[in-house]
Amino acid sequence: QADDAGREHTNVVHLPVRPAAAPADTVAGTAGLEPDAALVGELLTDEESAELDRRMAAQKARARAAAGAVVAVVRTGVTHDRTRRVVRGVARNALYVPAGGAVVARQVWEAHTTARYERMMRAAEAAGDFGAVAEWEERRARFLAERHRRTMAWLHAPVAVVKAALVALVALVGVLVLAGVVLAVTRAELAAFLAPFLTAFAVLSGVVTVIDAVWGAVSVLAPFAAVGYLWHVGRTRTTPPAWAAGRTEDRQDVPITPSVLVTALRDLGVAKLTKAIKDMGDAGAGMLGLIRIAGCGVEVDVTLPSGVSTKDVKDKRQRLAENLFRHEHELFITIPPAARTVRLWIADPGALDEPIGPSPLTLDDTLTADMYTGRAPWGQDLRGESVLLPLLQRHLLITGLSNQGKTAALRALALWLALDPTVEFRIADLKGIGDWHMFVGLATEMIAGPTDEHACAATHMLEKGVEEMERRLAAVDPDTHKNGVTRDLARAGTGFHPLVLIVDEAQQAFMNVAIGDDKRPYGGQKSTSRYFMAARKIHNQGRAVNVILWQGTQNPTDQNLPKLVREGAHIRASLVLGTEAESRMALGDKAVNAGAAPHELRQGLDKGTLVVAGDGVPLPPQQASITVRTHFIDGDDATAIADRAKTLRGRRATTITEAAPARDLLADVAQVMGEEVRVRTEVVRQRLAELDTGTYEGMTADDLTKGLADDGVEPYKYNGRMHLRLSEVRQAITQRDEAAGE
């Protein structure tokens, strides 16, 4: 075939060849032979060609593997966490220098201009503080006048410096001349006149030499010192970018500074807030109030820009906490009365996980109580200050999830009050596991048990409290005691002593399905409910005659804690809850709208921590609630405190309604089976629930099997379903009785 130039191409097949073995002299003489003849070799066989291909493929594979290994090593080294930390550390420390330079430049600029005064004037004007605006405007005028005076002084300074230099020079020459004359006269040598001048020149030369030597070192070290100073300023006064800041756990010691706060708010993800901060001439500093030390953390008020609501910040609580290098539970956001303002309390890292120490009740054996003038030591607030709770004529409600410290918090208040000999207790423990056993001998009535019968007894206790309240009301002279019962009247033997009715696990009473002899239900939330109406009557009039109701309950809902009863409590406290709706039921809308958030506490980790609101609670200024970390008093310490109270006030007779004895599962199974030879296990469980609802309701097949296995009775399959055989149950009862007799 021919191409465009007319040249011919020949299709050549390249065959593998073995180079021809040739003598050295023959190879050396190939220069005179034809080129093709010098390159001719012996053709390879198929096996040799395949072997050559295999070797070449293996060599290429090794090369690829080596290259892949190098790439993997490089990739691992580049992406390794240690490499990233090193790169972030180098970048972070490198960025501190220009950041520090910016801070220093800003300080210099503000020191020589009116920028600082204008910034403070804008902040005061935005806050509506026009008095502060006038004050800063006056300071600005004084600064301008003082700066003008200094400027004019600098204009006259050169003339004054020249005059001073000439006077100093003339004086120095005069001194040297006088010294020379004295030396020439005393030594009788004319050459001695020049000695002072020569000495002065030598001193001047030495000073110049020293300055020259020092200046060399200073000129070398000064840049390093300047960079070091800028690095220090940048590290302590600025916040590096997020990509260079490193992991959160590496920054747990970051102090809360205005720069950190503004950066955290800027990066909150609220577009209007971010734009407003970037547009502010003071970079957002005018938003911040004074950062105050508050216990184990700091507190600061933030005035938000126009268009940004407090809800925008509250909804971003977790992100704001992380921007501040804190966990979510270490940031509390409340709403003070000022418009568009949020109050941030930021804990020191890990401070809220440290115990607060024992109760004063366990430390001071001589401590006594007075319900009228004293306050119960309950715990500490987030600022580390003691929370002392007034209890005089105040109904109390404590709510929260199960096993979070509700009973311990309620019992701690009762233990302090037990040290007042005038107080009478009537207690219904509807949990019935002995949490209130130390009050036997202190309380005049003790109900302990979880059944419907115990809930009915608690209702009777409240109804008796209503009768006592009505008796006292009938005995009060309205003209003499217009403001309620006084301490003197309560202690004068008239029967008006404080009567505290305590119902723990009150939801059991509200949800009691039993019907009384008068056909009225014991539980429920309607006006026909006996417990509900008794609680309402005590809430309405009890405090006037020293009849007080304290309740502890789980999960506040309309079913287990009706609204009218919730709102009747003067002091409302809540441990951790599941939802915001439950928090509103526990504390009320006002407290939650102002920042109270028991649903943001950590279940299991914040045991004994309550959010408290209501009348008489020692709240910080302009706050609607307070978070309290209560002192934990264990069972042994509680018993010791109760024993001191019994010694102080004398032991009282206690009417006890205890929990019913544990059911005998084996005997109950034999009872519900009757004379039937075999009964399906699901039928047995149904009959057991009918026999004792409180014990057996909700029992599963696995529960029944495990309960009977201890006595050697096992269900068996008959016609495809699990059954129990009556003969095995009776035999197990006989064997158990015989073993007990032995």
Side-chain angles (χ1 to χ4, degrees):
Q1 298 179 356
D3 57 12
D4 295 337
R7 291 173 295 185
E8 293 185 354
H9 291 281
T10 303
N11 292 330
V12 180
V13 178
H14 296 276
L15 298 175
V17 296
R18 181 187 299 112
D25 55 350
T26 305
V27 174
T30 56
L33 299 177
E34 293 296 329
D36 291 340
L39 298 176
V40 171
E42 182 181 352
L43 292 176
L44 298 178
T45 63
D46 293 339
E47 292 77 4
E48 293 175 333
S49 178
E51 178 65 19
L52 181 61
D53 292 340
R54 187 186 65 79
R55 291 181 179 178
M56 295 179 63
Q59 186 176 4
K60 292 179 180 179
R62 286 194 297 270
R64 285 195 299 269
V70 172
V71 171
V73 170
V74 173
R75 183 186 296 112
T76 302
V78 171
T79 61
H80 194 273
D81 187 59
R82 184 177 300 174
T83 304
R84 292 180 178 179
R85 288 200 301 268
V86 170
V87 172
R88 281 198 299 265
V90 172
R92 183 169 61 249
N93 286 276
L95 290 174
Y96 283 149
V97 176
V103 172
V104 172
R106 180 181 176 184
Q107 291 175 342
V108 173
W109 174 257
E110 289 189 346
H112 293 81
T113 65
T114 60
R116 175 181 300 170
Y117 302 95
E118 293 173 356
R119 171 166 55 84
M120 299 305 296
M121 289 166 59
R122 288 196 301 269
E125 186 176 3
D129 190 354
F130 296 104
V133 173
E135 180 181 355
W136 282 106
E137 189 172 6
E138 182 181 355
R139 292 185 180 184
R140 177 177 176 273
R142 290 201 302 267
F143 170 80
L144 290 174
E146 183 66 20
R147 188 178 67 177
H148 177 72
R149 187 190 64 78
R150 290 195 303 268
T151 302
M152 298 305 296
W154 276 108
L155 294 177
H156 297 87
V159 176
V161 169
V162 170
K163 288 182 178 180
L166 291 176
V167 170
L169 181 61
V170 170
L172 178 62
V173 171
V175 170
L176 294 177
V177 168
L178 179 62
V181 170
V182 171
L183 289 176
V185 172
T186 55
R187 295 181 181 180
E189 295 180 2
L190 184 61
F193 175 79
L194 299 177
F197 292 92
L198 296 176
T199 302
F201 291 150
V203 171
L204 181 61
S205 176
V207 170
V208 171
T209 302
V210 171
I211 292 176
D212 182 62
V214 172
W215 179 255
V218 170
S219 62
V220 173
L221 296 178
F224 294 98
V227 171
Y229 175 73
L230 296 179
W231 177 86
H232 174 72
V233 172
R235 181 176 178 273
T236 57
R237 301 287 299 276
T238 65
T239 302
W243 61 268
R247 295 182 177 179
T248 302
E249 58 266 27
D250 295 334
R251 298 295 304 276
Q252 288 297 308
D253 58 344
V254 172
I256 302 301
T257 63
S259 175
V260 171
L261 275 169
V262 172
T263 302
L265 293 167
R266 183 198 66 196
D267 299 338
L268 199 56
V270 180
K272 292 183 178 179
L273 179 59
T274 301
K275 184 177 185 302
I277 292 176
K278 291 181 178 179
D279 293 342
M280 290 181 183
D282 56 1
M287 299 167 51
L288 307 180
L290 179 65
I291 300 178
R292 304 176 294 274
I293 300 295
C296 57
V298 297
E299 186 177 69
V300 60
D301 287 350
V302 180
T303 302
L304 302 175
S306 177
V308 182
S309 69
T310 56
K311 186 176 184 299
D312 294 334
V313 177
K314 289 180 61 180
D315 292 344
K316 300 282 188 177
R317 176 171 176 254
Q318 180 177 1
R319 179 175 294 182
L320 179 57
E322 292 175 350
N323 289 350
L324 294 170
F325 303 100
R326 298 295 189 272
H327 295 293
E328 184 178 6
H329 72 276
E330 294 173 333
L331 170 65
F332 288 80
I333 304 176
T334 55
I335 311 298
R340 291 201 329 269
T341 302
V342 293
R343 179 167 295 164
L344 308 180
W345 185 85
I346 308 156
D348 297 334
L352 297 184
D353 296 325
E354 298 293 331
I356 65 171
S359 169
L361 297 178
T362 64
L363 299 176
D364 187 357
D365 293 341
T366 64
L367 188 67
T368 59
D370 189 325
M371 187 176 188
Y372 287 86
T373 60
R375 296 190 174 193
W378 208 15
Q380 294 181 359
D381 62 11
L382 295 178
R383 294 163 180 78
E385 300 175 357
S386 296
V387 175
L388 304 176
L389 201 64
L391 300 176
L392 177 64
Q393 298 178 347
R394 287 183 172 88
H395 303 301
L396 174 66
L397 172 65
I398 297 180
T399 64
L401 297 180
S402 177
N403 194 32
Q404 298 302 306
K406 177 177 68 276
T407 298
L410 186 62
R411 189 178 65 186
L413 297 176
L415 286 170
W416 176 81
L417 202 55
L419 298 174
D420 184 344
T422 67
V423 178
E424 177 187 356
F425 293 99
R426 299 179 186 178
I427 301 174
D429 175 17
L430 299 184
K431 187 185 300 180
I433 60 174
D435 288 336
W436 295 85
H437 71 88
M438 67 288 301
F439 278 82
V440 174
L442 288 174
T444 55
E445 183 174 0
M446 173 67 72
I447 301 167
T451 66
D452 291 343
E453 289 77 11
H454 295 92
C456 293
T459 302
H460 292 310
M461 184 185 78
L462 258 65
E463 290 176 339
K464 292 176 184 176
V466 173
E467 293 175 1
E468 174 66 15
M469 176 191 72
E470 293 174 345
R471 183 193 69 79
R472 296 183 180 189
L473 287 170
V476 171
D477 184 352
D479 295 329
T480 306
H481 306 289
K482 294 181 180 180
N483 297 324
V485 179
T486 64
R487 176 173 56 180
D488 295 336
L489 180 59
R491 293 180 174 176
T494 60
F496 280 55
H497 60 276
L499 173 59
V500 180
L501 307 171
I502 301 176
V503 182
D504 195 8
E505 304 295 342
Q507 76 277 357
Q508 300 276 48
F510 282 111
M511 301 180 69
N512 186 7
V513 297
I515 304 296
D517 296 336
D518 57 357
K519 306 301 181 183
R520 293 174 57 200
Y522 279 90
Q525 54 181 323
K526 298 181 180 179
S527 59
T528 56
S529 168
R530 295 176 61 173
Y531 184 89
F532 172 75
M533 290 306 298
R536 286 290 299 145
K537 289 178 180 179
I538 295 174
H539 278 170
N540 289 338
Q541 294 180 297
R543 64 183 299 271
V545 288
N546 275 348
V547 178
I548 307 300
L549 176 60
W550 292 1
Q551 297 181 97
T553 182
Q554 297 181 17
N555 301 13
T557 64
D558 289 331
Q559 288 70 38
N560 59 22
L561 188 59
K563 180 179 180 181
L564 292 178
V565 176
R566 298 196 303 262
E567 295 179 347
H570 299 100
I571 299 175
R572 300 167 69 173
S574 178
L575 296 119
V576 58
L577 290 173
T579 64
E580 181 179 337
E582 292 178 347
S583 297
R584 293 183 179 277
M585 292 182 181
L587 301 178
D589 290 337
K590 178 181 178 181
V592 174
N593 290 338
H599 56 281
E600 293 179 350
L601 297 174
R602 301 168 296 168
Q603 184 174 0
L605 297 177
D606 289 327
K607 283 188 176 183
T609 299
L610 302 102
V611 182
V612 189
D615 175 46
V617 178
L619 299 175
Q622 302 180 339
Q623 285 191 204
S625 65
I626 185 174
T627 301
V628 181
R629 303 173 67 198
T630 57
H631 297 294
F632 175 68
I633 304 176
D634 61 25
D636 294 338
D637 288 337
T639 301
I641 297 170
D643 290 341
R644 282 164 36 205
K646 293 171 187 176
T647 302
L648 181 66
R649 61 195 294 166
R651 191 176 184 91
R652 297 187 179 183
T654 302
T655 303
I656 302 176
T657 304
E658 293 183 343
R663 302 287 308 194
D664 186 345
L665 176 60
L666 201 59
D668 288 344
V669 170
Q671 179 181 344
V672 299
M673 291 183 69
E675 297 299 327
E676 299 180 52
V677 177
R678 67 178 63 87
V679 181
R680 296 204 313 269
T681 54
E682 57 187 87
V683 175
V684 171
R685 289 189 288 112
Q686 180 179 354
R687 293 176 181 177
L688 288 173
E690 295 173 355
L691 177 66
D692 190 332
T693 303
T695 303
Y696 296 120
E697 186 176 16
M699 172 180 278
T700 65
D702 189 50
D703 295 335
L704 178 62
T705 301
K706 291 180 179 179
L708 294 175
D710 296 336
D711 295 307
V713 178
E714 296 183 0
Y716 69 98
K717 184 172 290 187
Y718 178 78
N719 289 337
R721 296 187 177 183
M722 302 303 294
H723 286 69
L724 287 174
R725 187 177 285 112
L726 180 61
S727 59
E728 292 184 359
V729 175
R730 290 179 174 176
Q731 182 180 359
I733 294 175
T734 302
Q735 292 176 351
R736 186 184 63 183
D737 293 342
E738 291 176 353
E742 295 176 357

